[in-house]
Amino acid sequence: MIHFLKDNTCCQDGGGDGPEGKDCLSKWKRRLETVSNKYNISSANTIKAHAEYQSSLAWQMKLKNWNDIIKETDENADAIVKELSFFIEQTGIVCDNSAETVKAFKRLLGLVKSIFDTFYDYNGEKGLKHKIIGFKKEIECLKNVSEEDKAEVIQCIEVYEEKIIMVCDMTDTVLKQLLETFKYTNLLHSSIGGCYGLEAKLDEMLDVFEGSSNGGNPSYAATSKVEKEEDSKEKSKGRKKPILDNNYSYPCNDVVVQPMPQLPINQSYYYIQIEQDLERALHKTESLKNDWIDCKKVSDKHLSERDSLREAIKNAESAESTK
């Protein structure tokens, strides 16, 4: 075995006259050094490729999660639009009915008021309350009627007079209750219909969800000036390039691309951009995965060659030491 390792012919590439060493063990050691360097480089490339792949995969999963949330939110927004449309339709019916109720109640109030007016003097015309008193006096002044008949008639008139007085006593209470009810009927109608009523508010909400409140453009959620400034500062910290450039390093920074709610969602720039970014991330991740696999194959090849050389050198040195 030792004779074989020391035999010059085992390491000769040709005739054996070249300047290279003819000793197999020395040649294996030089080869091991070369292969080890190649493995270190390929291993570093593999680690880098794997890190890039993992980073891209994580970014892809974030985009997928956002895209799923956006689609689900868009479906919910569509459901809200349908529910709002139905609710607005029903509110319109209630509004029309309340308007008719106000008109009818106004007529009823006028009718009741006119009935009560007949009991009181009005515009020089005597009311029933005054007329019944005059009627009693006229009965008492009759000369061709017996006192018994007068008393009987006056008794009937007094019963009627008591009822008139009772009705007159109810005037303030009844009219007050009617006016109070009329007031709340008006309030109910104005709170449902009109420029500031429920129907108008629901229409505004529907316009927002449909995106028609901003000239057909996506509507941004209301944000205070302070919140906008803080959001801008936070994004500027994580931004590697200006936001208008739209050329972020890949994978992107999730702080930079933090979503801003827009309605309708399916027409918003963010919705479209996320879909495009997700498609790009899918291709990029697949490409990085293939690069990592290719790098790993190279590093595994160099690793196998390095381990084989180490084992051969170890065996050779062991054999030489026992010579």
Side-chain angles (χ1 to χ4, degrees):
M1 177 67 179
I2 301 302
H3 176 72
F4 170 75
L5 291 174
K6 291 296 183 180
D7 187 2
N8 290 339
T9 59
C10 73
C11 295
Q12 288 179 353
D13 296 326
D17 297 330
E20 297 87 355
K22 304 300 183 179
D23 186 88
C24 290
L25 187 58
S26 299
K27 188 173 183 179
W28 287 350
K29 287 183 178 180
R30 289 195 299 272
R31 178 63 181 168
L32 175 61
E33 184 178 354
T34 301
V35 171
S36 295
N37 290 334
K38 288 182 178 180
Y39 170 70
N40 291 336
I41 294 172
S42 61
S43 178
N45 290 335
T46 301
I47 293 172
K48 179 183 177 183
H50 184 259
E52 289 178 348
Y53 163 65
Q54 289 294 330
S55 178
S56 181
L57 181 62
W59 178 243
Q60 173 190 315
M61 297 308 296
K62 277 189 177 183
L63 288 173
K64 184 179 183 304
N65 183 48
W66 290 347
N67 194 51
D68 291 342
I69 292 174
I70 289 171
K71 288 183 177 179
E72 182 180 354
T73 305
D74 187 45
E75 292 174 359
N76 292 336
D78 288 340
I80 290 174
V81 168
K82 292 177 182 178
E83 292 295 332
L84 274 176
S85 299
F86 175 77
F87 194 25
I88 289 172
E89 182 181 353
Q90 300 304 311
T91 304
I93 295 173
V94 175
C95 184
D96 293 339
N97 291 339
S98 65
E100 293 300 320
T101 302
V102 169
K103 292 179 183 178
F105 213 95
K106 190 174 182 180
R107 294 191 190 100
L108 176 63
L109 183 61
L111 179 61
V112 173
K113 177 67 168 57
S114 65
I115 292 174
F116 281 123
D117 286 344
T118 60
F119 291 90
Y120 298 93
D121 297 344
Y122 188 72
N123 289 337
E125 185 177 346
K126 294 180 180 180
L128 288 176
K129 189 176 181 181
H130 190 89
K131 287 179 179 180
I132 202 68
I133 296 173
F135 187 40
K136 282 173 61 177
K137 290 180 179 180
E138 290 178 358
I139 295 298
E140 290 174 352
C141 293
L142 291 175
K143 296 180 179 180
N144 298 327
V145 180
S146 65
E147 293 298 327
E148 292 180 359
D149 291 339
K150 287 182 182 181
E152 186 177 353
V153 172
I154 289 174
Q155 186 178 3
C156 293
I157 293 173
E158 286 177 347
V159 172
Y160 185 60
E161 184 181 17
E162 288 177 2
K163 295 185 181 298
I164 290 176
I165 293 172
M166 186 184 299
V167 172
C168 291
D169 291 341
M170 293 171 57
T171 301
D172 290 343
T173 303
V174 172
L175 288 179
K176 184 178 179 180
Q177 293 295 329
L178 284 174
L179 287 171
E180 191 76 8
T181 306
F182 182 64
K183 180 181 76 172
Y184 287 118
T185 304
N186 267 309
L187 286 174
L188 177 63
H189 173 63
S190 60
S191 64
I192 296 175
C195 298
Y196 304 101
L198 176 62
E199 187 177 21
K201 297 298 182 183
L202 291 175
D203 282 332
E204 290 177 5
M205 290 176 61
L206 184 61
D207 288 344
V208 171
F209 277 98
E210 289 182 335
S212 55
S213 62
N214 194 26
N217 298 318
S219 302
Y220 289 84
T223 308
S224 68
K225 183 178 180 181
V226 175
E227 288 175 336
K228 287 181 179 178
E229 291 177 353
E230 290 178 352
D231 180 66
S232 178
K233 290 178 182 178
E234 186 66 24
K235 287 186 176 182
S236 64
K237 292 178 183 178
R239 190 176 296 121
K240 296 181 180 179
K241 291 188 178 182
I243 193 167
L244 297 178
D245 193 8
N246 283 334
N247 291 317
Y248 305 109
S249 59
Y250 186 88
C252 296
N253 188 323
D254 55 355
V255 175
V256 178
V257 293
Q258 183 179 4
M260 179 179 290
Q262 297 172 312
L263 294 168
I265 295 174
N266 59 4
Q267 297 178 21
S268 68
Y269 169 78
Y270 181 75
Y271 178 88
I272 298 170
Q273 190 63 41
I274 284 295
E275 285 197 325
Q276 293 175 351
D277 288 346
L278 178 57
E279 186 68 22
R280 175 170 170 249
L282 288 170
H283 291 297
K284 187 69 175 179
T285 302
E286 185 65 24
S287 175
L288 290 172
K289 180 181 179 181
N290 292 332
D291 291 344
W292 166 57
I293 292 173
D294 292 341
C295 288
K296 193 172 188 307
K297 287 179 180 179
V298 173
S299 65
D300 286 347
K301 177 184 176 182
H302 290 154
L303 176 63
S304 177
E305 187 176 357
R306 187 198 69 176
D307 291 344
S308 296
L309 284 169
R310 282 181 175 177
E311 185 67 22
I313 291 171
K314 179 181 177 182
N315 291 335
E317 289 178 342
S318 177
E320 191 176 81
S321 64
T322 57
K323 179 179 176 182

